[in-house]
Amino acid sequence: MKSKKLLIIMLIALIALVALVGCNSNKVDYDTEIVVNGGFENYNSQDKIADGWTINPGTDVSWVRNESQSSEYDSSLGKRYLRFNLSTPGFYYISQKVNLEKNALYKLTAYIKVEDPISGSAGVFINGAVDTIGVLTTQTTEGWQEYTQYFTSAVKGEVELLVALGRDDISSSGDVSIDNVSLQKVDGAPDEEEVAILRMKEGYDMADGGSITFVVMFTIISAGILVGMFFMIKSILQNKVGMRPNDGVTGGDKFLNVMTGNTARFIYVLLTAFVVRFITILATAEGNSVINEMVNLAKGVADKGFMSYYDNYVYEPQGIVWLMGIFGFLGKALNMENVGYSILVRMPMMIADLTICYMLFSCASKYQNERMATTYGFIYAILPVFFIFGSLYGSVQCIAIAFLVAMALAMLQKKYVSTGVFYTLALFFSNYALILLPVILLYQIYALVTDKSSIVKTAVTMACCFVGFYLISLPLCWNQVAKGDVFCVFSKMYQFFATANPKLSNNAFNLYSIFASGGKIRPDNLFLDMCNWLFVIAMSAYVVYHYIRTANRLDLVLLSGVMLIAYSVIGAQGNVETLPMGLVLILIYLIITPDIRLYIGAGALATLSFLNIAQLFSRSGFISGVDNATLLDFESKDAFLIIFSIVTLLATFYLLYVAVDMTLASHVLLIEKERDISDDTQEEAKATPVAKAEKVNSKKKNKKAR
C-alpha cells in the first residue's frame, strides 16, 4: 500500500515539475530574429514552398532565384525571393505565426520591389490588427527598397504575419517582389521613427466578452449531459425505464401513443440536432478563419475552375475541393456575400451531423431498444463537442465522420462492399482517414482469405474504389500528372501531414505540448515523420494481431476509434479535429457493449475535446463577438495548454488501458448491474418471462455484433 502511495506522490510531483518548467516565460533576447526563413532561402522545390510559410489556398506565388549573372542581381537578397505577378484583383498571401510579448518594442523590416503600378497595396503586415501594422506600398519602386516600421505590442501571444498582395478588404493586382522579411524585439527606436501600437481585433483575455462564462458553463454542461445520460442508460438497462411507448397508459389514448412512439422519438432527436446546429450557424454568420478558408476555397475554384486546381498548392481533401467548388459556382451565380457563403459552406456539415444522428439511432434501435436509441441519439445531438465541432468550428471532418460511421456499421454486418465504398468516401473528405487504412486493408484481406463466397466482390470492390478515387481526383492535378507525376493524387495526401502542418501539434491538447514544443516548427521533418508513422504502425500492429486472433468486428470498430484518439493526443502531428472522429466510433461500441470504464474514458475525452476547441475560440476573441476572427493556435508555453495536455494524456492512457483490457483479456464491466437476490427476492419472483426474454435477446445481440 505504501509503495502505491509513493508512486502516486512521485507521479504528481513529476506532473507538477513538467507543468512548472513549461510555464516559463516565452521571452526572446533583443535583436533575435523571430521570423522563420524570412529570406525564403530554405525552399522545398518538390512542394514549391519555402519552409516555415503557409500558402493561402488560391494564391499563386513564384519563388525566384537571385541569379548572379542577372542585371537585377542583389547580393543582399540571398539565393531566392518571393514574387506575386497577378493580373486578376484579389487577396493573395503567404503566412507565418509569430509570438509577441506584451509591451515589448518590435522592428518589422522587408525589402519590396514593385515593377509596374499596382491596384491596391502590397507588403508585409500583421493580420487582424485594429490599426495597420506593417510595411506596405502602393507605388512603383526604383529597384529594391527597404521598408521599416517600429511598433509596441499591446497583446501577448501568437499573431499571423502576412506577406501579401492586397488585403482582406482591398483586392489588388500587379507585379511585386518581396524578400528579407524580418521581425525583431529591440530595446529602442530612433527618435525620428514613429512607434505604432499593435492592438488586435481578436481579444486574448478570457475575461473579455463573456469568454469565461462560455468556456466554463459549456464545459460543465458537457460533463452534466454525460453524467445524466449515464444514469439514463443505467436505468434503461436495469428495466427501471419502460421499453415501450406510453407505458402505463391505456391503449385508448392513441394521440399520446403516437406522440411517444418510436417514430416520434426519432423526429425529436433529429429536430433537436437540427435546431441546435442551425441556431449556432446563424448566430455565427460572420464565420471564423477555418470557415473563411472554405469560403476562399469555394471562390477560388469558381474563379479558376477545377482543372489542375491542386497546382495552387492546395492540400484540402479532394472531396472538399469538389464540394466547395460547387458551392462557389452556386454562390457566384447568386451574387452571394461573405455572410451567405459562411452559412452555405456549413450546410454539408449540418446534414452530415443529422445523418450521423440517424445512423446512431438506428444502430441503438437494432442492438438495444427504442429508449436506448433515443438516449444515444440525444448524446450526439446535444453534446457540445459534436455540435460545436461542425457548426461553430466549421470542421469538414464531420462529413468524413458520417462515412466512417456508415463504414463501421457495414463492417459489423459483414458487408464488405459497403465497407470499402464508405471508407473510400471518408478518405475522399478527410486525409486523416488515412490513419485507418491498415485497419480497412486488414478487414478486406481477411475477408478474401476466410470468406470464399466474397472473394470476387471484395476484390472487385477494392479495385473499383482505388480506380474511382484516382479518377475523381485526377482533374484537380492534371497538369502535374501530364508532366509525369502520375501519383500526384496520393503524394498530395501524404504531403498534407508534413507540408500543410509544418509545426508540431499546436492547436490540440497533446503530448508534445507538455514539454513546450507544441506549436514549434519541426526541427527534423524526416525524423519526426518516421516517428509519427512508426507510431501509427505500432497501433496498427496490435489491431492486426487482435483481429487475426479473434475476428471480432466490434473490437475492430473500437480499436479504430482508439487509433484516431491516440494519434490526436500522442502523435507529433496531432490535431484538434481528429479526436472527435475517434469518439464517434467509440460511441458505436458503447451502444452495443455499454462498458462503464469505456464510457468514463470517452466521456472525459469528449469534455476535454470541447474545452480544447472552446479555449481556441476564447483566446482568439471569437466569443467576444469579433467578426471573421482568426483562430489563434496555442502558444508553446501556455500554462493552460500544458496542464490540460497532461490531463488529456492521462485520460488517453486510461482509455488505451481499458481498450486493451476489453479486447485482449475480454474484461467487460457493463453499466448494467446484477441485482442482489437477497434484497430483491420478491421482485425477482414477479419478473415476467417477457422481461427475461428481452434481457436474453439483448445479450444475444451484443454477442452477435461482437
Side-chain angles (χ1 to χ4, degrees), residues 493-560:
M493 295 179 65
Y494 176 76
Q495 289 167 6
F496 165 82
F497 289 91
T499 308
N501 295 299
K503 296 183 179 181
L504 292 170
S505 178
N506 59 352
N507 65 358
F509 298 151
N510 182 270
L511 170 66
Y512 289 83
S513 300
I514 294 174
F515 305 100
S517 50
K520 293 185 177 180
I521 296 293
R522 286 173 285 166
D524 189 342
N525 287 348
L526 179 60
F527 174 74
L528 282 171
D529 281 348
M530 289 176 61
C531 290
N532 216 38
W533 291 113
L534 283 173
F535 173 65
V536 174
I537 291 170
M539 291 192 297
S540 303
Y542 175 74
V543 177
V544 170
Y545 162 76
H546 178 72
Y547 188 70
I548 292 176
R549 188 174 67 91
T550 65
N552 191 317
R553 300 186 302 280
L554 184 57
D555 283 355
L556 199 60
V557 173
L558 169 64
L559 294 174
S560 296

Side-chain angles (χ1 to χ4, degrees), residues 322 428 464-476 489-490:
W322 281 103
F428 200 58
C464 289
C465 287
F466 177 84
V467 173
F469 185 90
Y470 181 80
L471 291 178
I472 294 175
S473 307
L474 191 60
L476 301 179
V489 170
F490 304 105

Side-chain angles (χ1 to χ4, degrees), residues 268-512:
Y268 298 152
V269 170
L270 282 191
L271 186 61
T272 302
F274 171 79
V275 170
V276 169
R277 285 156 178 78
F278 193 66
I279 290 176
T280 303
I281 290 173
L282 290 181
T284 57
E286 291 292 339
N288 58 63
S289 57
V290 175
I291 297 167
N292 290 344
E293 285 182 8
M294 293 298 102
V295 173
N296 291 336
L297 179 61
K299 292 180 177 179
V301 176
D303 291 337
K304 298 184 179 181
F306 292 103
M307 209 65 177
S308 298
Y309 194 77
Y310 265 2
D311 286 353
N312 297 316
Y313 322 113
V314 176
Y315 293 98
E316 295 292 346
Q318 298 90 323
I320 298 302
V321 177
W322 281 103
L323 184 62
M324 291 300 117
I326 292 171
F327 284 157
F329 284 110
L330 178 61
K332 192 174 183 178
L334 297 175
N335 293 319
M336 278 188 176
E337 300 293 336
N338 283 345
V339 171
Y341 271 110
S342 174
I343 295 173
L344 181 65
V345 297
R346 280 183 281 179
M347 288 297 106
M349 290 73 136
M350 186 175 70
I351 294 171
D353 269 349
L354 296 180
T355 305
I356 294 169
C357 271
Y358 164 74
M359 289 188 287
L360 293 177
F361 186 94
S362 300
C363 176
S365 296
K366 178 177 180 179
Y367 292 106
Q368 293 292 345
N369 54 67
E370 287 75 21
R371 290 191 182 273
M372 194 71 85
T374 304
T375 302
Y376 279 107
F378 273 118
I379 287 178
Y380 190 84
I382 63 176
L383 199 62
V385 65
F386 293 130
F387 75 79
I388 290 290
F389 187 57
S391 302
L392 186 58
Y393 187 79
S395 175
V396 296
Q397 307 302 326
C398 289
I399 304 173
I401 291 175
F403 288 118
L404 287 177
V405 170
M407 175 205 76
L409 296 178
M411 186 184 293
L412 293 176
Q413 300 173 47
K414 296 181 69 173
K415 296 181 178 179
Y416 303 116
V417 173
S418 300
T419 299
V421 170
F422 287 132
Y423 174 73
T424 303
L425 290 171
L427 197 60
F428 200 58
F429 285 95
S430 174
N431 291 320
Y432 291 113
L434 195 63
I435 298 168
L436 298 183
L437 181 61
V439 175
I440 300 305
L441 289 177
L442 165 68
Y443 179 77
Q444 299 289 45
I445 293 172
Y446 190 86
L448 290 173
V449 175
T450 60
D451 191 346
K452 305 299 181 183
S453 63
S454 68
I455 291 178
V456 175
K457 62 181 181 182
T458 302
V460 171
T461 299
M462 292 174 67
C464 289
C465 287
F466 177 84
V467 173
F469 185 90
Y470 181 80
L471 291 178
I472 294 175
S473 307
L474 191 60
L476 301 179
C477 50
W478 177 253
N479 284 344
Q480 291 164 280
V481 173
K483 293 176 182 178
D485 190 1
V486 178
F487 296 105
C488 170
V489 170
F490 304 105
S491 63
K492 279 284 184 180
M493 295 179 65
Y494 176 76
Q495 289 167 6
F496 165 82
F497 289 91
T499 308
N501 295 299
K503 296 183 179 181
L504 292 170
S505 178
N506 59 352
N507 65 358
F509 298 151
N510 182 270
L511 170 66
Y512 289 83

Side-chain angles (χ1 to χ4, degrees), residues 138-182:
T138 59
Q139 305 293 327
T140 303
T141 64
E142 296 181 4
W144 288 95
Q145 298 291 328
E146 182 181 12
Y147 293 82
T148 300
Q149 183 177 42
Y150 289 86
F151 67 90
T152 299
S153 176
V155 297
K156 173 187 175 182
E158 197 174 59
V159 297
E160 188 177 35
L161 187 68
L162 303 188
V163 178
L165 174 60
R167 302 188 62 176
D168 54 357
D169 56 346
I170 302 175
S171 295
S172 302
S173 61
D175 187 351
V176 180
S177 299
I178 301 173
D179 198 9
N180 292 347
V181 179
S182 173

Side-chain angles (χ1 to χ4, degrees), residues 522-633:
R522 286 173 285 166
D524 189 342
N525 287 348
L526 179 60
F527 174 74
L528 282 171
D529 281 348
M530 289 176 61
C531 290
N532 216 38
W533 291 113
L534 283 173
F535 173 65
V536 174
I537 291 170
M539 291 192 297
S540 303
Y542 175 74
V543 177
V544 170
Y545 162 76
H546 178 72
Y547 188 70
I548 292 176
R549 188 174 67 91
T550 65
N552 191 317
R553 300 186 302 280
L554 184 57
D555 283 355
L556 199 60
V557 173
L558 169 64
L559 294 174
S560 296
V562 171
M563 283 179 67
L564 289 167
I565 290 173
Y567 183 88
S568 174
V569 180
I570 304 175
Q573 296 165 327
N575 189 282
V576 69
E577 296 187 89
T578 51
L579 202 152
M581 296 173 72
L583 287 174
V584 180
L585 293 181
I586 290 179
L587 192 58
I588 295 175
Y589 186 95
L590 281 169
I591 288 173
I592 301 172
T593 307
D595 180 88
I596 294 176
R597 299 169 304 165
L598 188 62
Y599 188 94
I600 293 172
L605 286 169
T607 304
L608 288 166
S609 181
F610 166 76
L611 182 61
N612 190 167
I613 298 173
Q615 180 64 2
L616 287 175
F617 280 127
S618 176
R619 71 183 307 272
S620 303
F622 188 68
I623 307 305
S624 304
V626 177
D627 294 337
N628 295 307
T630 297
L631 287 178
L632 301 176
D633 296 330

